[in-house]
Amino acid sequence: MGFTLMITRAAYGVYSNDNTCGRTYDGDCLAETSLEVMQGLCNGESSCSVEAANSVFGDPCRGTAKYLTATWTCEIVEPDVDTSSDGLDWNIFSMAQQAALPVSFDGEERYFVSVPCSTDVWFKLFLFGEDSQNSHVELFSKTAGNIYCHDAGSRSWWGGAKTDFNIDQAMQCEDGDTRIILIVEQTSDFIAIKNRGTTLYSQTFGADDGDCGKATTRVTTQVWTDDVELFLAVLNVPIIEVEIQEDIWCEYQDSYLYTYSSGTSSYDDLASAKAACLERDDCGGITQEPYNDNRYTLRVGPELYEGVSPTDEISWVTCEAELLKRNDKEELNDTEELKDKEELKDKEELKDKIVKRTNRSKFSV
């Protein structure tokens, strides 16, 4: 029994005019390989860590800070037919024997019910919260049932409202044709009843659905069909977080920085060089040397000579540091421009004074 990731959307780069990483870009800058790469690395895994880097996705726009976003779903591996070896703790219940289980979830709630394949069974699952019943799921047969929400709608049915439904798909028996495994899934937003990967019924919760969707702390059973044994198991499916590491480095083609950093300054791989550079006070960036077995060297810098390397060197500097330097340059340029304007204004005022004096002299003569 387990669960795996399925990546549904992914984007590496930066959207038009988004300054999340401190610098805007005119137009979308997104790697076309984003979804393909993420699905290749994460689909079918129980956890996934992906570095947001050009080395993984390619570089859709040089010299621009980029980030990675992704959305995903969790896919459950359904239980085997042999309830003694599928890893679930099955609890027997019947008309004469109720099952009552305390439960605790930190993600999606899943309830597994094993019923006979050969006959219809009428049963109900009661889902309780901390103080009272939240809801119930009831099946009258293999083709009909209802969902009850406490404190919902007009509250005209036992203090809430129920939704009757029909099941059009035929339920599939497990191998051996002796049992049917039904799975009831619930989150704060929806509830669904499934069988062998097929959704038999689903219902989305809204503002008028009362206590449906609230966290369950206890589940109990009731059966109206005599002389049958059913089994109940509960599975807590935790919320899986995909660790996405933000790329803090900006890459510059045909660029280099001056002067090697102190200590060990040459590395075989870029990841080691990045980690070492961040630990040093005198490291302003990294330059790859094509003429030295493509080794990655730590450089003091901090000035980046961009686009002028005669040997096709590639350099990396932290995007934040480069942004600060560019902002400093812009502020310096603004200061110099303001100074030039003030000097020009002084010259114009001096010229006006000279002209006025010349005119007064002519008038006196």
Side-chain angles (χ1 to χ4, degrees):
M1 181 58 58
F3 40 85
T4 59
L5 288 167
M6 294 293 290
I7 303 296
T8 56
R9 294 182 62 187
Y12 172 71
V14 60
Y15 288 98
S16 180
N17 298 320
D18 182 358
N19 66 348
T20 297
C21 292
R23 190 182 306 168
T24 60
Y25 188 83
D26 185 15
D28 287 348
C29 159
L30 302 173
E32 294 181 357
T33 61
S34 300
L35 181 60
E36 179 183 353
V37 169
M38 285 294 290
Q39 288 180 335
L41 293 173
C42 298
N43 278 10
E45 301 293 333
S46 59
S47 63
C48 185
S49 177
V50 180
E51 182 182 8
N54 295 335
S55 58
V56 179
F57 297 93
D59 190 355
C61 46
R62 293 181 180 178
T64 299
K66 294 171 278 288
Y67 52 85
L68 174 63
T69 60
T71 58
W72 60 89
T73 60
C74 296
E75 298 293 325
I76 190 71
V77 179
E78 293 194 10
D80 301 328
V81 61
D82 183 2
T83 59
S84 64
S85 61
D86 59 14
L88 291 172
D89 183 14
W90 291 94
N91 298 267
I92 190 171
F93 68 101
S94 63
M95 179 182 287
Q97 181 178 349
Q98 183 188 58
L101 305 176
V103 294
S104 177
F105 300 96
D106 56 9
E108 187 174 79
E109 302 177 14
R110 288 183 186 267
Y111 306 92
F112 294 81
V113 181
S114 172
V115 302
C117 194
S118 58
T119 184
D120 276 337
V121 178
W122 182 2
F123 74 92
K124 183 185 294 188
L125 298 182
F126 297 92
L127 307 182
F128 290 86
E130 290 289 348
D131 301 319
S132 61
Q133 180 184 346
N134 291 337
S135 59
H136 78 226
V137 180
E138 184 172 10
L139 286 182
F140 306 117
S141 64
K142 295 185 179 70
T143 59
N146 70 65
I147 304 292
Y148 163 76
C149 297
H150 179 258
D151 202 26
S154 62
R155 300 169 181 80
S156 58
W157 198 84
W158 296 93
K162 70 179 178 74
T163 302
D164 293 311
F165 60 83
N166 293 318
I167 298 174
D168 297 325
Q169 300 94 328
M171 294 183 185
Q172 300 297 313
C173 300
E174 299 296 311
D175 296 337
D177 294 332
T178 59
R179 311 293 294 182
I180 293 173
I181 303 296
L182 299 174
I183 305 175
V184 178
E185 300 177 352
Q186 178 177 270
T187 69
S188 59
D189 300 318
F190 76 92
I191 192 167
I193 303 172
K194 297 183 178 182
N195 166 242
R196 293 185 68 85
T198 298
T199 300
L200 305 177
Y201 175 77
S202 65
Q203 180 177 322
T204 302
F205 299 140
D208 199 36
D209 285 318
D211 294 334
C212 269
K214 287 187 176 181
T216 305
T217 59
R218 184 167 60 96
V219 56
T220 65
T221 63
Q222 188 171 6
V223 179
W224 285 270
T225 305
D226 199 6
D227 296 328
V228 294
E229 289 184 340
L230 294 80
F231 298 88
L232 172 66
V234 178
L235 178 65
N236 175 24
V237 182
I239 298 173
I240 302 177
E241 295 184 358
V242 176
E243 179 185 355
I244 298 178
Q245 303 168 0
E246 181 181 356
D247 188 10
I248 65 172
W249 296 87
C250 285
E251 178 182 317
Y252 297 90
Q253 299 286 330
D254 301 322
S255 305
Y256 63 93
L257 298 100
Y258 271 131
T259 312
Y260 291 112
S261 172
S262 61
T264 302
S265 60
S266 181
Y267 292 86
D268 293 328
D269 62 275
L270 180 58
S272 297
K274 287 179 177 179
C277 186
L278 293 176
E279 294 294 327
R280 299 192 189 180
D281 295 331
D282 68 341
C283 183
I286 301 165
T287 296
Q288 184 186 31
E289 299 177 343
Y291 46 82
N292 186 22
D293 294 329
N294 284 317
R295 291 184 69 80
Y296 300 89
T297 59
L298 308 190
R299 304 292 182 95
V300 175
E303 184 68 25
L304 175 69
Y305 293 88
E306 186 176 353
V308 295
S309 171
T311 55
D312 299 326
E313 294 164 302
I314 304 174
S315 291
W316 291 262
V317 296
T318 59
C319 301
E320 180 180 4
E322 184 63 16
L323 178 62
L324 289 174
K325 284 191 291 185
R326 295 187 182 223
N327 287 342
D328 289 342
K329 287 181 180 179
E330 291 176 1
E331 290 177 2
L332 179 60
N333 291 337
D334 291 342
T335 301
E336 292 177 349
E337 183 179 353
L338 179 60
K339 183 178 179 181
D340 292 341
K341 288 181 179 180
E342 290 176 348
E343 290 178 355
L344 180 60
K345 181 180 178 182
D346 291 340
K347 289 179 181 180
E348 292 292 337
E349 290 177 352
L350 180 59
K351 182 180 178 180
D352 288 342
K353 289 179 181 180
I354 294 173
V355 170
K356 289 179 181 179
R357 287 176 182 175
T358 301
N359 289 338
R360 283 200 297 273
S361 297
K362 289 180 180 179
F363 182 76
S364 299
V365 173

